[in-house]
Amino acid sequence: MSQARCRPHRDDLRIAVGGLAGGLLLWAFGVFSRGVSLDLVGWPAYWAPLVPLAVMAGCATLRRVRPGLGLLFGTAALAADLLTRGSIVTVVLYTDLVYAAVLYGSPAAALRLTWITGLLTVLGGVLPAALLRSAQGLLIGVAVGVVAFAPATTGWVVRSHRDAAETARLRAEQTALLAEKDRTQAVNAERARVARELHDLVAGHLSAIAIHSTAALSIDDPATSREALGVIRENSVEGLAEMRRLIGILRDHDGGGVFATPTLDGLAALVDGARAGGLDVALDADHGRVPAPVELAAYRIVQESLTNALKHAGPGRVAVRVAQRDGALDVRVTSPYGGADGPRAPGSGAGLVGMRERAALLGGAFEAGSDGAVWTVRATLPVSEGDPE
């Protein structure tokens, strides 16, 4: 037990001092709880009540730090008070000790004390009434109930409300922690979504700029350099426009901005852009209406596959096929495998991670790899039942 825990609480000190002062005041005016007493041998009847009063006041200082010990000595002081003229303050202080023992004691001791005082109240009323054959014997039980059982039950009720309030507080703290955890997870998920969208929006343009700038620097041909610079300018303008739109969405405090949701109808324009970047692309699209999330994921997977083909594929045709069958949208992009010996562009590998995440979010499957001369990217995206969004 810590040193602070062993010190009497200042409120308990006030109770003890106030009780002792009140008892001394009543004693000075000759106010006693009984007119006659069984005075101890050699003790003046007038001074005898002060001893139990002083002991009871001392026990009041233990009502929080050692409630059980305080009640034990207080019970002895109450028994001694019965041998004197008695002080009503001693009895009142004792009732507070019973109350404090239930409120501040251990749960087992509090429950046990409540049952004991209740049993003593019943026995204190029934046994004297049976022995004296008079209903007046019940008054002893009433006195025990007022002095012991009533404070004990009051302490139990207050303790129950206090424990319920503490439980509610802990539950509220736990709820707040869970809410903060959910908020953090939502923020992280939103950051991942923004990063994925940013990569898909800009990676293709930057890859085309890097490749054509390299060509313009390495080939000493004015016509080729002019063509490369035209492609660089076009991709720069489009990339900057998409970046401005994305930043505008992030700055939208009203939450009205939304990410653009490309559709599969835009695949033709996407392929045309890849062709302008130097790829030989063939598109085969055979699908009906699909939900917007599936449509966006399929578009982004094709976009990223073409970007990777622009950076890594060898000479040859790139084939894009999008087909809907058996309740799923199958996306397949094949390109000549350029091998793994060439230099890797910064950020290589992030595109595959993003495509795999898009497929996983929809409960689909994704795989990418080479079978020798051909690199294949394939995603199977389930099409949910009902009308598409």
Side-chain angles (χ1 to χ4, degrees):
M1 183 179 296
S2 65
Q3 184 177 2
R5 183 71 175 86
C6 294
R7 294 175 180 174
H9 194 275
R10 57 185 179 183
D11 291 339
D12 297 340
L13 292 176
R14 294 190 183 104
I15 292 174
V17 172
L20 182 60
L24 290 176
L25 184 62
L26 293 179
W27 171 81
F29 283 99
V31 179
F32 301 99
S33 58
R34 290 176 297 277
V36 295
S37 63
L38 300 175
D39 295 324
L40 294 175
V41 177
W43 280 35
Y46 189 74
W47 290 87
L50 296 181
V51 177
L53 174 63
V55 174
M56 195 70 75
C59 293
T61 62
L62 304 176
R63 61 191 301 276
R64 293 176 199 258
V65 294
R66 297 296 295 273
L69 184 63
L71 180 62
L72 178 62
F73 285 105
T75 302
L78 182 66
D81 183 73
L82 295 176
L83 302 178
T84 69
R85 293 185 177 182
S87 173
I88 189 63
V89 176
T90 302
V91 178
V92 172
L93 288 176
Y94 181 78
T95 61
D96 180 68
L97 290 179
V98 177
Y99 167 82
V102 175
L103 181 60
Y104 301 115
S106 64
L111 181 61
R112 184 165 53 248
L113 183 59
T114 304
W115 280 100
I116 290 175
T117 55
L119 181 61
L120 290 177
T121 300
V122 174
L123 294 178
V126 173
L127 291 182
L131 293 176
L132 298 176
R133 299 180 182 276
S134 172
Q136 293 184 351
L138 297 174
L139 295 177
I140 298 178
V142 173
V144 175
V146 171
V147 174
F149 183 63
T153 53
T154 303
W156 181 259
V157 171
V158 174
R159 184 189 184 108
S160 299
H161 284 290
R162 184 193 64 183
D163 293 343
E166 180 66 15
T167 302
R169 185 186 66 81
L170 294 176
R171 187 181 295 112
E173 290 181 355
Q174 185 178 19
T175 302
L177 290 175
L178 291 176
E180 178 63 20
K181 183 177 180 181
D182 291 342
R183 188 194 68 81
T184 302
Q185 291 177 346
V187 170
N188 292 336
E190 184 64 17
R191 286 177 177 173
R193 186 172 76 97
V194 171
R196 189 166 53 243
E197 291 293 335
L198 180 61
H199 178 274
D200 292 341
L201 287 172
V202 181
H205 297 298
L206 294 182
S207 298
I209 291 173
I211 291 172
H212 284 81
S213 62
T214 301
L217 291 173
S218 60
I219 300 176
D220 189 12
D221 182 8
T224 303
S225 297
R226 177 177 291 275
E227 181 182 353
L229 290 174
V231 174
I232 290 173
R233 182 184 184 282
E234 180 181 350
N235 281 275
S236 299
V237 171
E238 292 180 0
L240 286 173
E242 292 180 351
M243 282 287 293
R244 290 191 184 100
R245 182 183 58 80
L246 180 60
I247 293 173
I249 291 173
L250 296 178
R251 288 177 175 175
D252 184 6
H253 298 291
D254 297 332
V258 294
F259 288 114
T261 54
T263 65
L264 294 178
D265 295 334
L267 289 179
L270 186 63
V271 169
D272 291 340
R275 288 170 181 161
L279 287 179
D280 180 12
V281 187
L283 173 64
D284 181 10
D286 179 17
H287 58 83
R289 295 184 62 201
V290 296
V294 177
E295 202 166 14
L296 174 61
Y299 181 93
R300 293 302 190 199
I301 290 173
V302 172
Q303 182 184 42
E304 182 59 33
S305 299
L306 292 177
T307 299
N308 289 342
L310 182 64
K311 292 189 291 185
H312 306 297
R317 169 160 290 195
V318 178
V320 178
R321 176 170 175 77
V322 180
Q324 183 177 354
R325 61 172 66 91
D326 299 330
L329 188 68
D330 184 72
V331 180
R332 186 191 299 265
V333 181
T334 59
S335 60
Y337 183 50
D341 297 332
R344 294 175 62 84
S348 296
L352 294 177
V353 174
M355 289 188 285
R356 183 172 288 106
E357 288 178 350
R358 288 187 182 277
L361 287 174
L362 296 174
F366 175 83
E367 57 181 279
S370 66
D371 56 0
V374 178
W375 178 272
T376 302
V377 173
R378 182 179 181 183
T380 302
L381 308 176
V383 179
S384 58
E385 298 294 334
D387 297 333
E389 295 180 3

